[in-house]
Amino acid sequence: MLLLALIGPYIAPFDPLAIDFRNRLVEPSWTHLLGTDGSGRDVLSRILYGAKLTILSTVTVIATVLFFGCILGIFSAFVGGTIDNFLMRIADVWLGFPPLILALGFAAALGSSLEAAILALIFSWWPTYARLSRMITVDILSKKFVASANALGVSTARKVTHYVLPNAFDILIIQVTLDISAVMLAISGLSFIGVGAQIPQPEWGAMIADGRSFTSKGWWVVTFPGLMIFITAMSFNIIGDMLRRELDPTLVTRH
């Protein structure tokens, strides 16, 4: 799927935005392998272009919240005291709202566009990684090898790069793979209800929204974009579950 997002625009057989009313709702055939939509646009080409929009938008959200969330969480754990309590109470308040509802409010305030949906999800998702990275850091700082490092006068920067990040990597990468599917569904959901990517952008959620009025006449218009969302989200969930079983030291396999 990641490869598809990179090469999709180069292998698409048609222009994803080209309207051809003479070929409206053409069933899947050798010319249009996945059929055409209500405006005569090739569904396969739109899916291939949409892979870049949907998957790379998801990766952008995850990478951003991971970076800033980890910085905030690690900083909070090292500083401690009043600043730590203040930052974590803000995160707790943020986490009190469902991420999708919070993102919907931000997206509506920022304006209806894919960029607004990405920013809205970043604003909504950062507390998860701030809390997680802070919890991991506090646990690592309580270990004896960190106490030894403190006695030797090891700098904070070295403790972060040599102790905290290597030990936090396994847990964070598991959380990332599990969150990718959730963020992808959120982006597609925001586009579906009209506050994310706008029609005729070939984003998978927007494609479903555009084709829902043609469901009875052209089942393929919504089926194939929905199938792509399902396969991609399921794939990342499976990868995340596999990584969790392999990397999580708290899981014990019983035979």
Side-chain angles (χ1 to χ4, degrees), residues 9 19 29 43 49 54 59-60 68 112 122 136 153 194 200 205 208 222 225 234 252:
I19 295 175
S29 62
V43 173
Y49 272 85
T54 304
V59 172
T60 299
F68 289 105
S112 299
I122 291 172
I136 296 171
I208 297 175
V222 298
M234 184 62 69
V252 179

Side-chain angles (χ1 to χ4, degrees), residues 1 7 13 20 36 44 76 81 86 113 130 142 145 153 200 217 225:
M1 289 299 175
I7 69 173
D20 184 3
T36 63
L44 175 60
S76 181
F86 175 73
S113 67
S142 67
F145 62 83
K217 298 178 181 179

Side-chain angles (χ1 to χ4, degrees), residues 2 5 49-64 113-119 121-122 180 183-184 187-188 191 197 201 203-204:
L2 293 174
Y49 272 85
K52 181 177 181 179
L53 288 177
T54 304
I55 296 177
L56 294 187
S57 296
T58 301
V59 172
T60 299
V61 172
I62 290 294
T64 305
S113 67
L114 183 59
E115 293 76 13
I118 291 173
L119 288 175
L121 287 170
I122 291 172
I180 284 178
V183 172
M184 180 178 298
I187 287 177
S188 298
S191 298
Q201 277 186 297
E203 195 278 326
W204 292 341

Side-chain angles (χ1 to χ4, degrees), residues 106-228:
F106 281 125
L110 293 171
S112 299
S113 67
L114 183 59
E115 293 76 13
I118 291 173
L119 288 175
L121 287 170
I122 291 172
F123 291 150
S124 306
W125 229 274
W126 68 266
T128 300
Y129 288 90
R131 292 287 297 177
L132 180 60
S133 58
R134 187 245 180 211
M135 178 187 69
I136 296 171
T137 305
V138 169
D139 180 63
I140 293 172
L141 292 179
S142 67
K143 303 297 183 182
K144 291 183 179 179
F145 62 83
V146 177
S148 300
N150 291 333
L152 293 172
V154 174
S155 65
T156 299
R158 185 173 178 83
K159 282 187 282 188
V160 171
T161 56
H162 285 69
Y163 301 137
V164 175
L165 293 180
N167 286 284
F169 177 79
D170 291 351
I171 298 175
L172 289 173
I173 198 65
I174 293 169
Q175 186 65 39
V176 163
T177 53
L178 293 174
D179 274 351
I180 284 178
S181 58
V183 172
M184 180 178 298
L185 292 173
I187 287 177
S188 298
L190 292 174
S191 298
F192 179 80
I193 61 178
V195 294
Q198 298 297 297
I199 300 170
Q201 277 186 297
E203 195 278 326
W204 292 341
M207 288 177 64
I208 297 175
D210 187 31
R212 58 185 168 179
S213 58
F214 306 108
T215 303
S216 59
K217 298 178 181 179
W219 56 268
W220 55 88
V221 179
V222 298
T223 299
F224 291 118
L227 191 61
M228 293 299 292

